[in-house]
Amino acid sequence: MGTAVPADIARLRASKARNLAPKEKDIMEYLIGKLLRDFEKGMMTRRQLIQSLSLAATAASALSVAPAAAAAAADGKVAQAASLNHLGYQVADYAKSRDWYADLFGMKVVVDDGQKAMLAVGETLLVFHTRKSPTTPVINHICFTLANWDDDKSVRERVQAEIKRRGQDPRPSEHSLHVNDPDGLTLQLGGKVQYT
């Protein structure tokens, strides 16, 4: 698997049609049906089925925030989540997970740098990192694309100030900010292309 240039991801995201709710519902129904058929045929373990269904439900739930982002804009919220950018997933063997998801779901591998792999799920990326110890896989962070982040440089400063106002210390990186939610899950906030 070769390494894709960052422009490939930007083009992939830019090409997504805007109003796909009915089509996404059909895709989700197909995906769940395929997972269940594969489980019934013995092609995956119960654990793999539950992990895959959980991951699909998480992605679908996150995608449903788009209408809420429009409402937040009307309410004058500082950070307006426009889309789910990526899920960071720590696994026992990133290459094995990369191949399993790419083969089963037809996901395109857009980056593989020998340390991690990024697979495209529509406009969202699934990022696999190998865990330091081979235990239960975890989603270690969720990344949101914020409205106007790429076009308006003041968005970053306003979001950072709002996070500080709420008593937290945002951790900046070159393309994004990192902050923990109330339960300790790391959130990454930024524009459409975020590499950390």
Side-chain angles (χ1 to χ4, degrees):
M1 310 263 168
T3 301
V5 296
D8 288 345
I9 296 171
R11 276 194 300 274
L12 175 73
R13 290 191 167 137
S15 69
K16 184 179 181 197
R18 291 295 164 217
N19 189 4
L20 294 179
K23 186 176 180 183
E24 287 172 355
K25 180 182 174 195
D26 293 340
I27 291 169
M28 184 59 79
E29 287 176 8
Y30 170 80
L31 175 66
I32 291 170
K34 180 164 179 29
L35 286 170
L36 291 172
R37 284 189 301 276
D38 288 349
F39 173 71
E40 290 167 351
K41 291 178 184 176
M43 297 173 63
M44 64 178 13
T45 66
R46 179 175 297 172
R47 180 181 212 152
Q48 289 171 323
L49 173 66
I50 292 168
Q51 288 172 343
S52 298
L53 288 171
S54 297
L55 190 58
T58 300
S61 174
L63 288 174
S64 70
V65 302
D75 291 341
K77 301 291 184 194
V78 173
Q80 299 169 28
S83 65
L84 179 66
N85 188 288
H86 67 265
L87 291 173
Y89 197 30
Q90 291 185 348
V91 295
D93 179 344
Y94 95 89
K96 183 177 179 180
S97 294
R98 172 203 63 210
D99 294 345
W100 189 84
Y101 278 86
D103 292 343
L104 179 62
F105 301 117
M107 294 178 187
K108 180 181 178 190
V109 178
V110 293
V111 172
D112 185 340
D113 64 7
Q115 302 290 318
K116 68 180 175 298
M118 297 181 179
L119 283 73
V121 183
E123 191 174 327
T124 302
L125 294 174
L126 189 55
V127 183
F128 293 103
H129 301 269
T130 300
R131 288 184 63 116
K132 295 184 188 336
S133 62
T135 58
T136 305
V138 296
I139 294 175
N140 69 329
H141 75 280
I142 298 175
C143 179
F144 292 104
T145 298
L146 299 185
N148 302 316
W149 181 278
D150 295 320
D151 302 325
D152 182 353
K153 298 303 176 195
S154 70
V155 171
R156 181 182 182 121
E157 289 93 27
R158 290 194 322 264
V159 170
Q160 191 165 355
E162 178 63 18
I163 292 168
K164 286 180 180 179
R165 187 189 71 73
R166 292 171 181 247
Q168 290 193 312
D169 189 24
R171 300 173 305 280
S173 63
E174 184 179 356
H175 301 286
S176 58
L177 296 174
H178 300 257
V179 65
N180 290 348
D181 77 359
D183 295 304
L185 180 66
T186 298
L187 302 179
Q188 184 177 352
L189 311 170
K192 285 192 177 187
V193 178
Q194 300 181 36
Y195 303 97
T196 58

